[in-house]
């Protein structure tokens, strides 16, 4: 997203089931028509093995107020998955470290009533500090696997991260 640009006006590539670009549209049009696009999910693990989870701001355009196990979002037009993962981590958590190792862990396709996305998933190890300057995150916490399981049983979570990323993480 360009500085000063409204989020709905950023350009997004629409992709087919083989991840080939078939059109470029605004994010607002992609959301309104539920067009299949590229996305990234980045799990942040502490050196102690705990997972950083967060609750999305109530102003998010999809899944507002839900919990998520990953930083991430929509890949911009002309942007690589890897560059998008780095950008999203910087935007959402304030982590902008060129030496940080992003480990690709897999990905796949997720479709529900809200989105159609082909996503790549990553894992990073970072203990913070974190800053939340873009207003996308309302609350964060570190969780163990058992704490995550309790949270999953009582709170609503972003479904694409749970479906695509959670099975790829070794949380003990």
């Amino acid at each position: 997203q360009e500085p000063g640009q409204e989020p709905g006006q950023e350009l997004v590539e629409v992709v087919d089931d083989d991840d080939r670009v078939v059109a470029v549209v605004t994010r607002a049009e992609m959301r309104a028509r539920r067009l299949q696009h590229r996305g990234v999910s980045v799990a942040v693990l502490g050196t102690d093995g705990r997972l950083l989870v967060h609750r999305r701001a109530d102003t998010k355009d999809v899944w507002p107020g839900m919990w998520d196990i990953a930083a991430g979002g929509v890949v911009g037009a002309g942007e690589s998955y890897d560059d998008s993962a780095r950008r999203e981590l910087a935007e959402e958590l304030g982590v902008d470290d060129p030496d940080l190792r992003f480990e690709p862990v897999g990905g796949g396709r997720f479709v529900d009533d809200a989105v159609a996305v082909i996503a790549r998933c990553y894992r990073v190890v970072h203990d913070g500090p974190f800053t939340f300057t873009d207003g996308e995150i309302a609350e964060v916490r570190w969780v163990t696997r058992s704490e995550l399981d309790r949270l999953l049983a009582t709170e609503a979570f972003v479904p694409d991260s749970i479906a695509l990323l959670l099975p790829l993480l070794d949380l003990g």
Side-chain angles (χ1 to χ4, degrees):
Q1 176 180 328
E2 297 298 319
Q5 182 183 45
E6 289 295 317
Q9 295 308 304
E10 68 184 290
L11 296 178
V12 176
E13 294 169 340
V14 178
V15 295
D16 65 15
D17 290 347
D18 294 316
D19 200 14
R20 291 185 301 245
V21 176
V22 296
V24 176
V25 300
T26 64
R27 180 186 181 112
E29 181 180 353
M30 176 268 292
R31 289 286 186 227
R33 295 177 50 205
R34 198 183 58 123
L35 300 171
Q36 184 163 267
H37 61 283
R38 294 174 174 151
V40 293
S41 293
V42 183
V44 178
L45 293 133
T47 52
D48 62 3
R50 291 183 302 163
L51 176 67
L52 187 71
V53 298
H54 69 271
R55 189 171 57 78
R56 296 163 63 86
D58 292 333
T59 54
K60 292 294 290 175
D61 62 351
V62 66
W63 302 316
M66 294 177 87
W67 283 88
D68 202 349
I69 63 168
V74 175
V75 176
E79 187 177 40
S80 72
Y81 283 102
D82 290 355
D83 288 345
S84 179
R86 285 192 177 278
R87 176 183 52 77
E88 290 288 351
L89 197 62
E91 286 177 3
E92 292 185 17
L93 299 176
V95 176
D96 190 8
D97 178 353
D99 297 324
L100 188 61
R101 183 171 171 265
F102 282 69
E103 178 187 348
V105 293
R109 184 169 181 260
F110 179 84
V111 179
D112 73 358
D113 291 341
V115 303
V117 64
I118 293 181
R120 290 205 186 154
C121 301
Y122 300 82
R123 175 185 178 278
V124 299
V125 176
H126 196 281
D127 290 321
F130 303 106
T131 57
F132 313 103
T133 56
D134 72 357
E136 292 188 23
I137 293 178
E139 177 183 353
V140 298
R141 64 176 74 155
W142 289 104
V143 295
T144 63
R145 179 62 204 225
S146 61
E147 291 167 337
L148 176 62
D149 289 341
R150 285 194 294 278
L151 205 55
L152 285 165
T154 60
E155 299 291 339
F157 271 77
V158 171
D160 65 341
S161 296
I162 298 303
L164 297 175
L165 178 59
L166 186 56
L168 303 172
L169 297 177
D170 180 14
L171 299 175

